[in-house]
Amino acid sequence: IPESTPNKPYIKRVIATPGQVLDIDFNTGVVTVDGKVLDEPYIKGPTTRAGDVKFPVTVPEGYFFAMGDNRANSHDSRNINVGSKDNNSGLIKNESVMGKALFRIWPLSKIGSLY
């Protein structure tokens, strides 16, 4: 749950965890974690929309970096106001996690278990 909108839970994908370095090339849409390009067949399109977070980002203990699968229209850790107020970044506190998505209902052509 983003601190800026505590009554509006988000469903996002965890991209980087503590100790990892995340970088995004917004010209090519390539996302790297610890220098390795992520294979992201689940995203709707390349990550070419930047937010107000500066990259690369090193994720500290107690936080994670999350992004939505529809990167062109996702309010996620690329935006400072999504993250924790105490670190002035888009990083989200671990204790903000409410649960884990297990089942997809949309789009109907992909309905079913995520695991």
Side-chain angles (χ1 to χ4, degrees):
I1 299 176
E3 287 184 27
S4 61
T5 54
N7 296 321
K8 183 180 178 185
Y10 290 9
I11 296 178
K12 302 295 176 192
R13 191 176 299 270
V14 173
I15 302 297
T17 57
Q20 293 184 310
V21 178
L22 174 89
D23 203 2
I24 303 174
D25 182 331
F26 293 105
N27 293 317
T28 63
V30 173
V31 178
T32 59
V33 175
D34 293 337
K36 296 177 185 172
V37 175
L38 292 186
D39 179 23
E40 299 184 290
Y42 45 79
I43 63 174
K44 188 172 180 178
T47 309
T48 55
R49 186 182 62 79
D52 49 11
V53 171
K54 304 290 185 240
F55 292 91
V57 171
T58 300
V59 180
E61 281 299 319
Y63 295 88
F64 62 92
F65 190 99
M67 288 196 288
D69 291 355
N70 182 2
R71 303 284 169 81
N73 193 30
S74 180
H75 194 63
D76 54 32
S77 289
R78 291 172 288 171
N79 303 96
I80 288 175
N81 66 348
V82 169
S84 174
K85 293 175 185 170
D86 64 352
N87 68 12
N88 197 31
S89 74
L91 297 169
I92 301 167
K93 288 182 180 178
N94 289 347
E95 59 263 20
S96 295
V97 175
M98 293 178 60
K100 181 177 181 178
L102 301 173
F103 195 81
R104 173 180 25 220
I105 60 171
W106 195 262
L108 292 176
S109 62
K110 294 185 177 184
I111 194 168
S113 176
L114 294 173
Y115 302 96

